[in-house]
Amino acid sequence: MSTATSGQGSWRDTILAGLANYIDAGSIVAGSVALALWKDIYGLSDNFIGLIAAFSANAISAGIGAFIGGWLCDKFGRKKIYQYDMLFYAFGMLFLIFASSAWMIIAGFLLVGLAVGADIPASWSLIAEQAPDTKRGAHSGVAQVLWYLGPVVVLLAAYFLKPFGIDGIRWLFIHLAVLALALTFLRSRMKESQRWEDSQAAKAEGAPSGIDWRELFSPRYVKSMLYLICMYGLWNLWAGYNGFFTPFLIEQNNLPEWAATVVPASYFGIGIVSILTIFMTLSDKVSQRTMFGISALMHVVGMALLAVLPFTLPVVIVHIVIMGIAGGFGAQSFFQLWSAELFPTAIRSTAQGVTFAVVRIGLGIWSLAVPALASADFHSLAWILTGFLVASGLIGYIWAPSNQGKSLEQLEAERG
């Protein structure tokens, strides 16, 4: 029997849990906006910029946080993690707000990444476990809207704050820290996941608490984790470049100054519309494989434009329109949904943490090479990213599950 909540309470909890996505994406893009300023102020090399990207909320530290946080979520419950990790996040943000040297930037992103990484499996599991069975995709979509909203708010604010230099950009980090503190208070009123509590109660009396690692790494769940890692990980190599390096590349290619903030913000704004009108409307009703396949094809076409054509403003605008529409109902949205559906409650957050950790750590390693590749030959980088999207699309489409309309208990029973 489904134990999901319904009505206004479930939507409220979805929003409070999903705000982790806003904070995660907001952190990534705020860092990307500050990147060019930090480079000039501290004379940062391309290699050091790659190091910041690798250990930022975009990559390695978030991956490590997701692995630790996912394990803790399954052991102690979702609420204990997502209620307090935002305090840790706000502490990390202080290093970025008051950054006066390069080491503070690294330290700040490292701490922030650990916190947002820990929050992802907690919030995603909670959303899936509390959503009505016939609206799980729609509730997951709310979290994705918030993920896209973070960059829109940050980039538009940056447009008005950038004339004030790094002191203006600090306010981007300040607003994220304040939101994290507010979330700590608001989340204290949320209830624990009923499905997690039922899972704990169902354990045999005297059974050890914690995660059954043998179950997690059994063949059927290893296959699911490998599928998610390959599908989402290859796509995320493109997304990491897009989220962290696009404003930097626009400035390096001498496009109009406003484009460094308005163009990326437009991408995320288009993505929000796509999530609302396509993913949230259709993902619980129609073939998810078909939706994913259309999105994957659009991603390949959109990225190939930058590989074939010059990095000019008209080309970049067409590129972000295609990618924004495709992104709304593509790999990111389905990764959140499927990573909850493919695993039972007892190991759900741990499985999400493992897959997210591998993806983000892989992105961190890749990010070390991106600045040098972009500076040396951007078209070669664009072809490599197009190849990643082709591979992600094929893997995602061929092995895509069809879980729409089914309860988590039904899916678990079908797995045997």
Side-chain angles (χ1 to χ4, degrees):
M1 179 181 296
S2 170
T3 54
T5 58
S6 60
Q8 293 182 347
S10 64
W11 287 109
R12 181 186 65 247
D13 288 351
T14 291
I15 292 171
L16 289 177
L19 278 167
N21 287 26
Y22 177 97
I23 282 178
D24 181 16
S27 303
I28 294 168
V29 178
S32 75
V33 170
L35 203 56
L37 295 172
W38 282 331
K39 180 178 181 180
D40 292 338
I41 293 171
Y42 302 117
L44 305 181
S45 66
D46 286 342
N47 288 335
F48 195 87
I49 290 172
L51 191 66
I52 293 174
F55 286 93
S56 72
N58 198 31
I60 292 176
S61 61
I64 295 171
F67 176 77
I68 297 171
W71 169 66
L72 292 174
C73 284
D74 283 336
K75 184 175 177 63
F76 299 110
R78 285 69 166 116
K79 182 176 179 178
K80 285 185 174 65
I81 306 305
Y82 67 64
Q83 183 177 344
Y84 296 112
D85 58 12
M86 288 294 98
L87 289 175
F88 191 82
Y89 175 93
F91 173 70
M93 267 295 160
L94 293 177
F95 285 84
L96 299 178
I97 293 169
F98 298 106
S100 58
S101 60
W103 76 265
M104 293 183 71
I105 300 171
I106 292 285
F109 274 125
L110 184 64
L111 296 174
V112 164
L114 289 171
V116 296
D119 204 289
I120 291 298
S123 59
W124 286 6
S125 291
L126 184 82
I127 290 169
E129 290 166 5
Q130 292 191 343
D133 298 329
T134 57
K135 294 183 179 179
R136 195 164 51 248
H139 278 254
S140 295
V142 169
Q144 291 305 313
V145 167
L146 291 168
W147 198 95
Y148 278 71
L149 183 62
V152 171
V153 172
V154 167
L155 288 165
L156 292 181
Y159 178 74
F160 296 101
L161 292 171
K162 218 168 182 184
F164 300 98
I166 195 64
D167 289 332
I169 298 304
R170 292 185 205 276
W171 285 100
L172 300 178
F173 299 117
I174 291 172
H175 108 275
L176 292 168
V178 170
L179 179 58
L181 294 174
L183 267 181
T184 301
F185 171 74
L186 293 171
R187 286 178 169 184
S188 66
R189 303 182 180 185
M190 294 173 65
K191 296 180 180 179
E192 180 57 84
S193 163
Q194 185 62 49
R195 278 189 164 108
W196 179 82
E197 292 183 338
D198 291 346
S199 173
Q200 297 301 299
K203 285 185 176 180
E205 186 176 349
S209 60
I211 308 305
D212 186 344
W213 293 100
R214 288 179 300 177
E215 181 182 18
L216 178 66
F217 289 104
S218 63
R220 59 182 168 181
Y221 296 130
V222 167
K223 289 178 182 178
S224 295
M225 286 191 287
L226 286 175
Y227 167 71
L228 292 169
I229 288 168
C230 293
M231 179 276 291
Y232 181 59
L234 289 165
W235 178 87
N236 206 54
L237 295 178
W238 167 80
Y241 137 84
N242 183 60
F244 203 85
F245 290 107
T246 296
F248 176 74
L249 287 170
I250 288 175
E251 292 194 8
Q252 294 298 302
N253 283 275
N254 299 313
L255 298 189
E257 186 176 349
W258 57 265
T261 50
V262 175
V263 168
S266 299
Y267 162 79
F268 291 108
I270 293 167
I272 290 174
V273 175
S274 177
I275 296 168
L276 290 170
T277 59
I278 301 175
F279 186 78
M280 291 179 64
T281 303
L282 300 177
S283 61
D284 292 305
K285 302 173 183 177
V286 305
S287 169
Q288 294 175 353
R289 172 181 278 113
T290 300
M291 289 180 64
F292 180 91
I294 294 171
S295 169
L297 181 60
M298 292 178 67
H299 270 106
V300 171
V301 171
M303 192 62 222
L305 288 178
L306 292 187
V308 174
L309 301 175
F311 197 94
T312 61
L313 186 58
V315 172
V316 171
I317 290 174
V318 174
H319 163 77
I320 64 104
V321 170
I322 295 173
M323 304 303 267
I325 295 172
F329 61 101
Q332 172 83 14
S333 297
F334 280 116
F335 175 74
Q336 177 183 340
L337 182 61
W338 290 338
S339 66
E341 294 177 337
L342 293 176
F343 307 97
T345 301
I347 60 171
R348 178 170 294 122
S349 289
T350 307
Q352 287 182 321
V354 170
T355 54
F356 195 79
V358 174
V359 168
R360 286 296 180 99
I361 291 171
L363 174 59
I365 296 170
W366 165 244
S367 296
L368 291 170
V370 170
L373 282 172
S375 298
D377 184 1
F378 174 75
H379 287 286
S380 295
L381 172 61
W383 276 120
I384 294 171
L385 292 169
T386 302
F388 289 154
L389 292 173
V390 170
S392 168
L394 289 174
I395 293 168
Y397 180 77
I398 292 171
W399 288 286
S402 296
N403 299 334
Q404 57 270 18
K406 300 177 182 178
S407 70
L408 294 176
E409 289 73 27
Q410 182 180 353
L411 293 173
E412 187 170 347
E414 290 177 355
R415 286 191 297 266

